[in-house]
Amino acid sequence: MSPIPVNITGTLCELCHEFISNLFTFDFTRQETYPARWQQVGGEWTPEKPWGDVFHHHETFSDLSESAKSCELCYVLHADLASIDPTLHQGWLGLYPFWTSGRMGENRLKGHFRAGFRESLGQMPWGSSKIGSIPLHSFRVCRRGPLEGGEEVPWLDAYRRLPAVPATLESSDISRMVTRWQQECSDAHKDCPKGRSESELPTRVLDLGESEAAPIRLYEPPDGEKATYASLSHCWGGTINSITTEANKAARTDSMSFDDLPQNFKDAIHVTRAIGIRYLWIDALCIVQDSKADWFREAARMHSVYAGASVVISALDAGGSTAGFLKPNRVPLAVINDEYAVQKVFRELNDYLLDCPLVRRGWCMQERLLANPILHIGKEQMFWECHTEFKCEDGRKYTGESDGHVMAEFLSIRKRIGVSAAQGIELDFKAWYQLLEEYSTRDFTVSSDKLPALAGAAALFKSTKPAATYAAGLWKEDVARGLLWCAHYDHVPGRKVWGISTTDRISVLAKPPEQRAPSWSWAALDGHIDFWALRTSGFVAEVLNVAMSTGENELTAAFPTGTVKLRGRAAQMFYHAPEDPSLDVGVLTFREIDSPANRSAALSSCVMDLDRRTPRSCWVVIMSKSNSSWYLLVLQGCANGLYRRIGMCTAHNVEVDPERFEAREIQIV
């Protein structure tokens, strides 16, 4: 790599040239004295102090806009800063390499710097709440080529360690990165496949031929034929006109019109050819969409389709089939010389994934769970997800460990389930509940798909527990713990004790258009949920029977019905809604006239599933006790002596006399 100072050959304006030259001359570290355009932060606190020492760049946003027409670095800065609220464009533009954050102190990543307008610094958004995260609207000096084999660079020398992302995405870029990532998996990851292996082909695949010019056709291989193939994970985004039907299936086995396909499918074909694979599976084309028999038969095989693919192509940011996911221009890059460039710092991975249309789609959870590996293609960069880590094209790597974010937890549980299933290791039921917490955040165009879209994941889980019995999204053998689900609450970062408090923000749950599952199942409602079996033990209620009328061990059943019969200590109580209409957490007392403040008669932290504003009588049954914490199901009595679930209570520091609860047998529908 180049010595310091650096020789700048890129097209930069005078200000950018000076700034970059200064950074290299300083060895990217704070100085005791600076050249004229630099200002040191003062000793007293001001809104500018956390930003640190600053290089005085253009005087106005308009000046930056004008310079961006000819200066590559100004163009990079402008492309990012133009997206913020115009009210944050006040004052002169400063570039800040030495900012500080409360817990982490001064930035020590060499080559990273923030940008902000002087009179708007106090209002600039930070972005991620993750400790150690890089603020939004930050930039980085980075190397233009990847690390060479065996090359080691100190972590803090980020400008030498992290590669730039090419501004445009060519077939050669896709081929190069996939080849490199696959080689890393083969060489260094014990839980990843050693190269591409052939798998039995699905019922139908697209045959792309052996060249770019080859015609495309729908291929129905004979039973047992093996080959490498790719599959596509994507958002439908409404009606797709080019689906396979009974009427066109036969003709498509001869040829298909490439031009008639939506852009997502064209892009998937382009990627599959770029990585040297002949066959491609796309649900809309490889399942006969107007045949219920074919649809249910193929849905039951989804586990093997995605698990058998040599690579799953994930269209992360395409909200519909016509959107396309191979964009000609991704993210601008300012060239410094043959070795270095400047590019924006990309968002924290967890926050980015949470906003991706594909990650919100219900069907795509099991597609991602079952696959190994996955080539995610986003609007700004590519990613590689295997059973060891999640790699970004910009050089960052994630494992999902030691991170409470729902996206990080899914990374972790995906690895655990995939590796356990591959090695024949039996999984704990807790892994299923962790999976469901993430799954419950996802959306469905068709409400009745909620359980069928989980069938592949259930099949994978059941492969490690062959004797387990599936029942409405839960497992009979652990249903007592499976009943303890509740609307998700936002656990305040830094709060040491888990538990719902009266002011916590609670997710909204919604009733589907038609009854989809028994009231005791999480699948009965839509919305983000938590499973308290992951956070408590000491179960005291006994499950006497789980009687499924329909759907027992039917993984694709869309409308299972059944009852759960419990024996436990129960009492009739009264639900007091929160006095503040903006809050969601109520209190239970034994009588309507009892004060919610009377701890000997009250159980706090009651969250109703749906109507949280209406005070009413209810029944509660104690499911679990842990020290002075109780976890209870909240039920509504029905005229036929049965009960329906309507909520859950997570009461802490309980002072209620347990003798006020009587032993009862309760049947929940």
Side-chain angles (χ1 to χ4, degrees):
M1 305 297 287
S2 290
I4 297 174
V6 68
N7 180 35
I8 298 175
T9 59
T11 307
L12 304 184
C13 69
E14 183 179 343
L15 290 175
C16 289
H17 191 288
E18 180 180 351
F19 173 68
I20 294 298
S21 179
N22 287 166
L23 285 184
F24 277 88
T25 302
F26 300 164
D27 191 21
F28 302 94
T29 58
R30 192 158 55 87
Q31 304 293 294
E32 293 295 328
T33 59
Y34 290 98
R37 293 200 69 85
W38 287 80
Q39 294 182 19
Q40 287 182 303
V41 67
E44 297 182 2
W45 191 92
T46 64
E48 299 83 23
K49 186 174 179 60
W51 289 70
D53 300 342
V54 57
F55 178 85
H56 191 126
H57 203 258
H58 284 295
E59 295 298 329
T60 66
F61 179 74
S62 296
D63 291 345
L64 176 67
S65 301
E66 185 62 29
S67 183
K69 297 175 182 178
S70 57
C71 171
E72 291 184 11
L73 181 47
C74 285
Y75 182 81
V76 168
L77 297 172
H78 181 268
D80 185 75
L81 296 173
S83 67
I84 65 177
D85 192 310
T87 61
L88 300 180
H89 292 160
Q90 306 303 310
W92 51 268
L93 177 61
L95 305 182
Y96 301 84
F98 313 117
W99 80 87
T100 60
S101 62
R103 297 188 182 184
M104 298 301 294
E106 184 179 296
N107 168 51
R108 298 174 62 202
L109 287 175
K110 292 184 177 183
H112 283 57
F113 62 93
R114 299 182 71 182
F117 292 90
R118 194 64 171 180
E119 296 176 16
S120 308
L121 298 183
Q123 290 75 48
M124 285 289 286
W126 184 278
S128 175
S129 60
K130 182 179 178 180
I131 296 174
S133 63
I134 307 298
L136 294 175
H137 311 295
S138 294
F139 303 85
R140 64 193 181 110
V141 178
C142 45
R143 59 189 295 149
R144 295 185 64 188
L147 288 172
E148 302 297 333
E151 183 180 3
E152 295 185 2
V153 176
W155 179 261
L156 294 179
D157 286 1
Y159 74 102
R160 295 175 50 219
R161 177 173 54 85
L162 299 176
V165 172
T168 58
L169 185 62
E170 306 291 343
S171 295
S172 57
D173 297 317
I174 298 171
S175 175
R176 173 178 53 82
M177 288 305 302
V178 169
T179 299
R180 180 178 179 184
W181 282 330
Q182 284 183 324
Q183 191 62 49
E184 289 174 356
C185 283
S186 181
D187 292 345
H189 298 168
K190 63 181 179 62
D191 295 321
C192 291
K194 306 303 179 185
R196 292 178 183 170
S197 59
E198 294 185 345
S199 298
E200 185 172 335
L201 289 173
T203 305
R204 302 175 195 90
V205 289
L206 298 182
D207 183 354
L208 309 183
E210 296 181 346
S211 70
E212 291 281 341
I216 300 168
R217 68 187 184 101
L218 190 64
Y219 176 52
E220 296 182 329
D223 289 345
E225 181 177 349
K226 291 186 176 183
T228 57
Y229 69 92
S231 61
L232 175 66
S233 181
H234 68 108
C235 290
W236 279 49
T239 303
I240 297 177
N241 295 324
S242 58
I243 59 174
T244 294
T245 64
E246 293 282 13
N248 64 21
K249 181 181 69 170
R252 288 187 166 189
T253 59
D254 292 327
S255 67
M256 292 177 61
S257 170
F258 178 83
D259 293 337
D260 291 342
L261 297 176
Q263 192 60 48
N264 275 3
F265 298 178
K266 293 177 181 177
D267 289 349
I269 290 170
H270 181 82
V271 172
T272 303
R273 282 173 164 164
I275 59 180
I277 294 179
R278 177 169 179 169
Y279 298 109
L280 171 63
W281 188 90
I282 300 176
D283 53 2
L285 303 181
C286 299
I287 299 174
V288 182
Q289 295 296 319
D290 60 352
S291 167
K292 282 191 175 180
D294 195 70
W295 190 93
F296 277 105
R297 183 168 55 250
E298 295 304 307
R301 296 173 178 172
M302 208 69 72
H303 168 221
S304 61
V305 169
Y306 281 95
S310 294
V311 62
V312 171
I313 302 164
S314 161
L316 273 180
D317 287 304
S321 64
T322 61
F325 57 88
L326 293 180
K327 302 302 181 182
N329 298 310
R330 299 196 292 175
V331 59
L333 185 73
V335 172
I336 296 175
N337 56 27
D338 289 342
E339 294 175 286
Y340 298 113
V342 178
Q343 196 167 52
K344 78 171 189 178
V345 174
F346 296 95
R347 291 178 63 191
E348 277 292 326
L349 178 66
N350 292 333
D351 297 334
Y352 164 70
L353 289 177
L354 198 59
D355 289 339
C356 289
L358 191 66
V359 173
R360 296 196 299 269
R361 181 176 176 250
W363 277 99
C364 296
M365 186 281 288
Q366 69 171 6
E367 295 168 7
R368 186 174 162 202
L369 176 73
L370 298 169
N372 186 41
I374 310 167
L375 173 62
H376 298 286
I377 301 182
K379 58 187 175 184
E380 294 182 327
Q381 63 173 318
M382 296 186 293
F383 309 90
W384 184 261
E385 185 176 8
C386 62
H387 277 161
T388 302
E389 57 193 0
F390 195 112
K391 298 180 181 180
C392 308
E393 197 177 350
D394 68 359
R396 294 175 297 171
K397 299 179 182 180
Y398 296 84
T399 63
E401 307 298 335
S402 304
D403 190 329
H405 196 287
V406 66
M407 291 294 100
E409 289 178 348
F410 183 77
L411 290 182
S412 179
I413 191 61
R414 192 189 90 85
K415 289 190 300 181
R416 193 181 329 149
I417 291 178
V419 170
S420 295
Q423 298 179 358
I425 300 172
E426 184 175 357
L427 284 161
D428 188 275
F429 286 110
K430 286 186 176 181
W432 183 250
Y433 304 136
Q434 289 172 321
L435 189 67
L436 292 181
E437 288 191 338
E438 195 276 348
Y439 185 66
S440 69
T441 67
R442 295 173 178 254
D443 302 324
F444 289 90
T445 303
V446 179
S447 172
S448 58
D449 284 350
K450 189 151 195 166
L451 283 170
L454 193 61
L460 182 66
F461 188 86
K462 187 174 172 63
S463 70
T464 78
K465 285 181 173 292
T469 308
Y470 193 64
L474 295 172
W475 302 93
K476 273 190 175 184
E477 291 74 13
D478 199 54
V479 79
R481 297 198 305 167
L483 298 178
L484 272 190
W485 53 269
C486 186
H488 171 74
Y489 85 102
D490 286 339
H491 183 77
V492 177
R495 188 200 293 175
K496 295 182 179 180
V497 179
W498 283 92
I500 298 173
S501 67
T502 56
T503 58
D504 281 334
R505 187 170 59 185
I506 309 295
S507 66
V508 175
L509 302 184
K511 196 174 182 180
E514 54 185 327
Q515 182 175 327
R516 189 172 54 210
S519 72
W520 46 265
S521 168
W522 60 271
L525 301 173
D526 292 321
H528 191 184
I529 60 170
D530 294 329
F531 275 89
W532 284 86
L534 298 172
R535 302 169 181 91
T536 185
S537 57
F539 281 79
V540 294
E542 178 185 3
V543 176
L544 299 177
N545 187 34
V546 181
M548 298 300 296
S549 304
T550 59
E552 180 169 312
N553 258 345
E554 296 178 26
L555 306 186
T556 59
F559 300 101
T561 58
T563 63
V564 170
K565 190 173 185 179
L566 301 175
R567 179 186 292 129
R569 302 192 70 84
Q572 191 166 17
M573 301 190 77
F574 189 85
Y575 170 71
H576 297 265
E579 295 181 359
D580 186 337
S582 68
L583 301 179
D584 290 310
V585 183
V587 177
L588 297 169
T589 63
F590 287 93
R591 300 176 301 170
E592 182 176 358
I593 61 172
D594 290 339
S595 169
N598 181 359
R599 299 184 64 85
S600 66
L603 297 172
S604 60
S605 302
C606 179
V607 177
M608 291 298 191
D609 294 335
L610 297 172
D611 180 7
R612 299 169 186 166
R613 300 284 173 262
T614 304
R616 56 197 183 276
S617 294
C618 57
W619 283 84
V620 299
V621 57
I622 304 172
M623 297 296 296
S624 171
K625 288 183 178 181
S626 179
N627 297 323
S628 61
S629 297
W630 293 8
Y631 302 88
L632 311 94
L633 289 186
V634 183
L635 311 171
Q636 180 183 54
C638 305
N640 54 4
L642 302 176
Y643 295 83
R644 294 185 62 82
R645 178 208 157 102
I646 57 172
M648 183 181 158
C649 180
T650 61
H652 299 282
N653 301 315
V654 174
E655 298 179 11
V656 169
D657 184 355
E659 294 303 316
R660 301 186 73 169
F661 292 79
E662 299 179 351
R664 297 176 67 95
E665 291 186 1
I666 292 176
Q667 194 166 4
I668 310 171
V669 295

